[in-house]
Amino acid sequence: MNLLNLQPSTLGLSAVVWALLLAITTYGLGRAAAVNARATRVWAATLLSMAAAFVCWSAGTAGRGWIDFLLGNALAVLCSVLFLNAIWILVGRSIPWGWSVGQFGAGVSGVGWVYFLGAPHGWAVVTIALAILATAMGSIVVLLQHRRIRSSVAGWTLIGVLLLVCVFFVASRLAVLVFGGGALAVRPLADHQVQVISLWLTHLIIGGASLGFLAVLMQQRRDAALARSRLDRVTGVLTQQAFAEQALAHLAHASVYSVLRLEVDHFQRLSEAHGREAGDAVMQQVATQLLRALRDPDVACRWGADSFCVLLPHCDETEVHGVASRICQSVASQDLALPAPVGLAWTQAAPASVALSASVGVATAWVPSEVALVTRQALDALIRRADEALYLAQSMGRNQVQVVHTGAFDASWAEPLQAAGSGALRRVF
């Protein structure tokens, strides 16, 4: 059987079923993925509006022109508006509501002129085609600007489908006006060869765009799961393993860098007295104070049950001293209200609070001009020097910062240039 000889009404019915199946699949997979739920809902609404448009076009063959022409074409324009919004939400952006209203209004304007004012049908074809063209071009632009999607097969599938919309689908609609085709050629389900080709392209666009959208959604799910695995569950900073994987990449082209080691004072005693939930609350508050004091290029991780480690690229001894002092003072500046124990409620007295403090050790390294890259051994050695400074801060009474002397370490070596000891450290806070 020649597929091009299928009746447009049959193709319209299959488009309805196809769109509904993909809408259900999209919504189900979106819920299972538990990521970008808003984009999933908008994409499902896009497919449902397309299915509804085909239902209206099919019902219109019985002679009810307001269902066929007015409502059906309005739903088609709504589909284009939702399509563009779904793509933008997928990449983490949103379209101003004014743009969506304007796109919908411009798309249905020709439909209104034809239905209410008796204008030529070509006006509706032009405005609907321009609304679809705006969707395709706007989606292509935002997808090309997203590096992760631009580098994936799923992203290029979406871009390819949108290019198909621009080149073939919209062009075929406008070609009817240029070369003619009779009154039937401008009706979506008219028995005309142009409409049969357009309906097959619609099937391809629905399927290709949905599969590309779902592939991007699944990639985002994998990326989100990977990101969560790299973050500490309690504090939201990197895990120690993730820190080790990423740290050296942040030191490219760095001529100087520092490491900061922070440990909460008397954490074990506090956790034993008030419970694990209190210990988690302490680490969360300290992490918040820590992140507020850091710069954009700095990398923080949870180093142990009660400590953090921070890499500060392009940060010399003076700068890191200022950062460490602000962190130490910030942690000690406010008490922490302890959460109620699990299963219990505070009934009479207000929740207990504790005073917090932290000890901080800092080490700085310089990268000689003849050294191309900082080695893992050099970074580990600098972390050990920061640990020595931290231990000194704790032995001298806690709630203070200790920093390695300037010039005490050279990043081209895996070990310090001079033996570590009290002579290489000084109290600065």
Side-chain angles (χ1 to χ4, degrees):
M1 180 179 64
N2 190 346
L3 294 178
L4 292 179
N5 290 332
L6 289 177
Q7 291 294 322
S9 58
T10 303
L11 292 173
L13 177 61
S14 66
V16 172
V17 175
W18 185 223
L20 288 175
L21 287 175
L22 289 171
I24 294 171
T25 302
T26 300
Y27 186 73
L29 289 180
R31 287 175 60 88
V35 62
N36 220 336
R38 184 183 172 204
T40 303
R41 291 194 298 268
V42 176
W43 186 258
T46 301
L47 295 171
L48 290 175
S49 64
M50 179 174 291
F54 275 102
V55 170
C56 291
W57 289 330
S58 299
T61 58
R64 290 169 288 181
W66 70 271
I67 296 178
D68 176 11
F69 187 77
L70 189 62
L71 183 56
N73 288 327
L75 285 169
V77 175
L78 176 63
C79 175
S80 71
V81 173
L82 292 173
F83 189 116
L84 183 59
N85 275 269
I87 296 298
W88 277 56
I89 295 171
L90 184 67
V91 300
R93 301 173 65 177
S94 59
I95 298 178
W97 67 270
W99 171 269
S100 296
V101 172
Q103 182 185 359
F104 180 78
V108 299
S109 61
V111 179
W113 295 335
V114 173
Y115 188 80
F116 294 107
L117 303 178
H121 278 69
W123 289 32
V125 175
V126 170
T127 57
I128 293 173
L130 290 177
I132 297 173
L133 182 63
T135 291
M137 295 302 297
S139 299
I140 290 172
V141 168
V142 74
L143 289 171
L144 288 175
Q145 291 176 347
H146 195 282
R147 182 184 58 83
R148 181 67 171 140
I149 291 178
R150 190 176 65 242
S151 62
S152 67
V153 175
W156 278 107
T157 299
L158 268 178
I159 294 172
V161 169
L162 293 167
L163 287 173
L164 181 64
V165 172
C166 294
V167 175
F168 294 105
F169 189 76
V170 175
S172 69
R173 311 306 302 159
L174 298 179
V176 172
L177 301 178
V178 177
F179 300 106
L184 293 177
V186 298
R187 294 182 57 188
L189 298 184
D191 189 7
H192 191 279
Q193 193 73 3
V194 171
Q195 300 301 351
V196 173
I197 295 174
S198 296
L199 286 169
W200 278 116
L201 286 173
T202 300
H203 282 71
L204 179 61
I205 290 167
I206 295 173
S210 295
L211 291 176
F213 185 92
L214 290 174
V216 172
L217 196 67
M218 292 301 103
Q219 181 61 53
Q220 290 182 345
R221 179 189 182 184
R222 290 191 293 271
D223 292 345
L226 179 61
R228 286 194 298 270
S229 70
R230 294 174 176 272
L231 297 180
D232 177 63
R233 177 186 58 83
V234 174
T235 62
V237 300
L238 292 175
T239 62
Q240 186 172 345
Q241 179 180 357
F243 176 84
E245 294 172 356
Q246 298 183 21
L248 294 182
H250 288 264
L251 293 177
H253 312 296
S255 60
V256 60
Y257 65 100
S258 298
V259 168
L260 181 153
R261 286 280 287 112
L262 179 148
E263 187 168 303
V264 179
D265 294 333
H266 308 298
F267 177 84
Q268 187 66 29
R269 183 191 309 169
L270 184 150
S271 184
E272 290 175 353
H274 299 282
R276 189 189 67 178
E277 291 76 17
D280 288 347
V282 169
M283 296 305 291
Q284 288 170 356
Q285 177 159 311
V286 173
T288 299
Q289 302 297 333
L290 176 68
L291 294 175
R292 285 176 180 172
L294 298 182
R295 312 162 306 161
D296 289 340
D298 300 337
V299 185
C301 79
R302 187 168 181 178
W303 198 254
D306 57 353
S307 66
F308 297 91
C309 181
V310 183
L311 173 66
L312 301 97
H314 313 285
C315 186
D316 60 23
E317 183 182 88
T318 301
E319 292 174 308
V320 74
H321 163 235
V323 172
S325 297
R326 288 194 299 272
I327 295 171
C328 200
Q329 293 168 351
S330 178
V331 171
S333 65
Q334 53 183 312
D335 294 344
L336 172 67
L338 297 177
V342 175
L344 300 177
W346 299 100
T347 55
Q348 297 180 349
S353 62
V354 294
L356 299 180
S357 65
S359 301
V360 182
V362 172
T364 300
W366 290 263
V367 183
S369 57
E370 66 272 12
V371 175
L373 294 174
V374 176
T375 65
R376 176 63 184 273
Q377 291 78 12
L379 178 59
D380 289 344
L382 191 64
I383 293 174
R384 289 195 295 270
R385 293 301 301 277
D387 281 337
E388 294 171 7
L390 171 63
Y391 300 149
L392 183 63
Q394 292 172 327
S395 67
M396 296 184 67
R398 304 179 188 270
N399 191 27
Q400 59 185 265
V401 176
Q402 293 291 335
V403 59
V404 173
H405 273 306
T406 300
F409 191 81
D410 189 314
S412 63
W413 292 71
E415 296 294 338
L417 292 181
Q418 63 185 57
S422 60
L425 301 168
R426 60 185 172 88
R427 185 177 182 179
V428 298
F429 173 73

